[in-house]
């Protein structure tokens, strides 16, 4: 298998060396060049022909967001991973970069005591994402065995009972999820008849910024989940970074519940934790949606949803940035429907208790802001 050709873009000599040294340790990766700013990176793109670019955000002359826009303006679809700081400003800039066309991001090592620790942080975060976004197999870890070539969709497993009418909508996503969610949630009406709980793999700070941006785009109310909030129709609760989101019950009342139990599938928050909790709280009356993302988080939970009488929708391979999570659900036979991203919102409204008339949905689609995260 040919090596993955990577260009490293960062204005810091130290960071460029750390990233280059880490990537060069992996026999599957070759660093073919570096650049200290976005302008030089764009000028080197045609010469170096990288398979992937790592991009700093704050750089002189041309910053990372401007560089992403410039690269996409050349019609290049080369995957771009942003290198972000774990701050409010860094989170906001990263979401801007994703909206401009970046594929994913990693956070820069912060408050680490040595170069060795910084290198290990980069190794754990960056290498799996590089391999996932370029379709290279991994035998273990969060990006294990992403699908690169088109895979035949497995029909859903036979049901042992009739599907139940959903009383809650749960959504899981990861790599490519922020942009995917901006194509789905704005098409759902404020009158949605069920509460929505969502796990997007993101660190702290990022989830709060992401919730605020989605709230501006959507007719639904979108919030970062707070422990103990009653669940009501028309509100989307996003799991905060580093916390699992579950459904708590008190009699007939349902509420959000947060915890820091160990990660599952290398993730906290984890989709499986949310899905499992929703099945228990709603006796299987659950609509689960699994969107683009690396790894297999959500596969076990999707199986539990179907076994309990719920329904599962998965994004298809062609429209997924990485068909890891939805692919795992589909190949396990747990997806009732496997759909392109553009049809997911329609499926949600159709499968929930009071679907909207087609004309109303078409009007929402025409009016929905589709320009990404602003």
């Amino acid at each position: 298998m040919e090596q993955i050709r990577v260009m490293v873009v960062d204005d810091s000599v130290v960071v460029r060396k750390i990233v280059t040294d880490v990537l060069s340790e992996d026999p599957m990766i070759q660093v073919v060049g570096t650049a200290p700013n976005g302008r030089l990176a764009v000028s080197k793109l045609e010469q170096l022909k990288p398979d992937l670019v790592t991009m700093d955000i704050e750089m002189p002359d041309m910053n990372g967001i401007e560089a992403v826009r410039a690269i996409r303006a050349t019609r290049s679809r080369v995957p771009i991973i942003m290198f972000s700081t774990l701050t409010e400003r860094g989170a906001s800039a990263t979401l801007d970069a994703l909206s401009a066309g970046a594929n994913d991001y990693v956070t820069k090592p912060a408050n680490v005591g040595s170069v060795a620790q910084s290198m290990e942080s980069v190794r754990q975060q960056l290498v799996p994402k590089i391999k996932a976004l370029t379709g290279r197999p991994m035998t273990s870890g969060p990006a294990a065995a992403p699908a690169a070539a088109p895979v035949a969709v497995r029909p859903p497993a036979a049901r042992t009972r009739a599907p139940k009418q959903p009383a809650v909508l749960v959504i899981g996503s990861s790599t490519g999820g922020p942009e995917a969610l901006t194509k789905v949630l704005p098409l759902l009406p404020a009158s949605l008849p069920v509460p929505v709980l969502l796990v997007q793999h993101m660190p702290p700070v990022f989830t709060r910024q992401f919730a605020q941006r989605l709230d501006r785009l959507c007719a639904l109310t979108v919030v970062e989940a707070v422990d103990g909030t009653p669940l009501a129709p028309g509100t989307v609760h996003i799991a905060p970074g580093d916390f699992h989101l579950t459904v708590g019950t008190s009699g007939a009342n349902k509420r959000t519940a947060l915890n820091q139990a160990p990660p599952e599938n290398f993730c906290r928050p984890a989709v499986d934790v949310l899905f499992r909790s929703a099945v228990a709280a709603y006796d299987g009356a659950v609509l689960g949606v699994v969107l683009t993302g690396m790894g297999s988080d959500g596969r076990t939970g999707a199986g539990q949803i179907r076994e309990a009488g719920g329904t599962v929708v998965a994004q298809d391979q062609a429209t997924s940035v990485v068909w890891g999570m939805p692919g795992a659900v589909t190949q396990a036979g747990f997806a009732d429907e496997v759909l392109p991203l553009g049809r997911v919102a329609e499926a949600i409204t159709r499968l929930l208790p009071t679907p909207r008339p087609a004309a109303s949905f078409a009007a929402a689609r025409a009016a929905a802001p589709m320009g990404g995260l602003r």
Side-chain angles (χ1 to χ4, degrees):
M1 184 176 292
E2 291 186 4
Q3 287 182 303
I4 306 166
R5 298 169 56 85
V6 177
M7 177 165 63
V8 177
V9 185
D10 200 294
D11 67 331
S12 166
V13 174
V14 173
V15 173
R16 287 202 305 275
K17 178 166 175 52
I18 287 173
V19 175
T20 299
D21 287 351
V22 168
L23 298 186
S24 298
E25 291 174 357
D26 194 300
M28 292 180 65
I29 298 174
Q30 177 189 8
V31 177
V32 294
T34 64
N37 62 60
R39 195 172 305 282
L40 279 172
V42 174
S43 69
K44 288 184 174 185
L45 198 66
E46 183 58 33
Q47 171 198 349
L48 297 176
K49 294 183 169 53
D51 298 313
L52 182 141
V53 176
T54 70
M55 183 77 69
D56 188 21
I57 292 178
E58 296 189 14
M59 297 180 290
D61 195 11
M62 178 185 281
N63 66 35
I65 300 168
E66 294 167 336
V68 170
R69 292 193 181 110
I71 290 171
R72 293 296 180 245
T74 68
R75 298 187 180 276
S76 169
R77 301 310 304 165
V78 61
I80 302 172
I81 299 177
M82 306 306 295
F83 229 50
S84 170
T85 54
L86 192 56
T87 62
E88 293 279 356
R89 180 174 175 179
S92 178
T94 301
L95 293 172
D96 286 342
L98 293 174
S99 178
N103 300 85
D104 206 350
Y105 63 92
V106 297
T107 53
K108 289 187 176 183
N111 301 319
V112 293
S114 69
V115 171
Q117 287 173 298
S118 295
M119 291 180 71
E120 183 59 25
S121 175
V122 171
R123 186 178 297 110
Q124 290 182 2
Q125 288 193 78
L126 186 57
V127 172
K129 294 193 174 189
I130 288 173
K131 292 180 179 180
L133 286 168
T134 55
R136 303 307 203 271
M138 291 190 68
T139 56
S140 64
V151 175
V153 173
R154 177 178 171 181
R159 285 187 174 274
T160 57
R161 65 182 75 184
K164 298 177 181 178
Q165 187 176 76
V168 66
L169 169 62
V170 291
I171 303 173
S173 55
S174 185
T175 307
E179 277 301 293
L181 289 164
T182 68
K183 304 298 191 293
V184 174
L185 294 182
L187 296 181
L188 302 179
S191 58
L192 202 75
V194 301
V196 184
L197 296 99
L198 189 160
V199 165
Q200 162 66 43
H201 295 157
M202 272 185 167
V205 181
F206 281 65
T207 46
R208 181 169 59 253
Q209 290 261 353
F210 185 47
Q212 291 170 355
R213 290 184 177 218
L214 280 176
D215 187 58
R216 292 196 290 269
L217 290 174
C218 296
L220 296 164
T221 299
V222 183
V223 298
E224 184 182 51
V226 176
D227 191 66
T229 304
L231 294 180
T235 298
V236 181
H237 301 267
I238 297 181
D242 204 31
F243 283 85
H244 290 308
L245 173 61
T246 64
V247 180
T249 58
S250 177
N253 298 319
K254 310 287 192 295
R255 55 179 175 75
T256 56
L258 304 178
N259 69 71
Q260 289 188 302
E264 293 192 20
N265 308 305
F266 305 91
C267 303
R268 188 171 66 201
V271 179
D272 275 338
V273 172
L274 170 61
F275 283 15
R276 180 171 67 239
S277 168
V279 168
Y282 288 92
D283 190 30
V286 178
L287 173 58
V289 175
V290 182
L291 301 177
T292 175
M294 68 187 215
S296 60
D297 190 23
R299 175 175 56 196
T300 301
Q304 292 168 330
I305 289 173
R306 283 196 95 247
E307 185 179 3
T311 303
V312 176
V313 174
Q315 186 176 349
D316 72 359
Q317 185 176 5
T319 62
S320 294
V321 174
V322 178
W323 204 53
M325 287 165 49
V329 170
T330 300
Q331 294 311 110
F334 298 151
D336 293 281
E337 299 185 38
V338 182
L339 300 172
L341 184 63
R343 292 178 54 198
V344 171
E346 179 276 328
I348 290 171
T349 58
R350 169 169 46 81
L351 292 166
L352 289 178
T354 53
R356 302 180 71 194
S360 229
F361 178 80
R365 185 181 183 87
M370 301 297 284
L373 298 164
R374 300 298 182 200

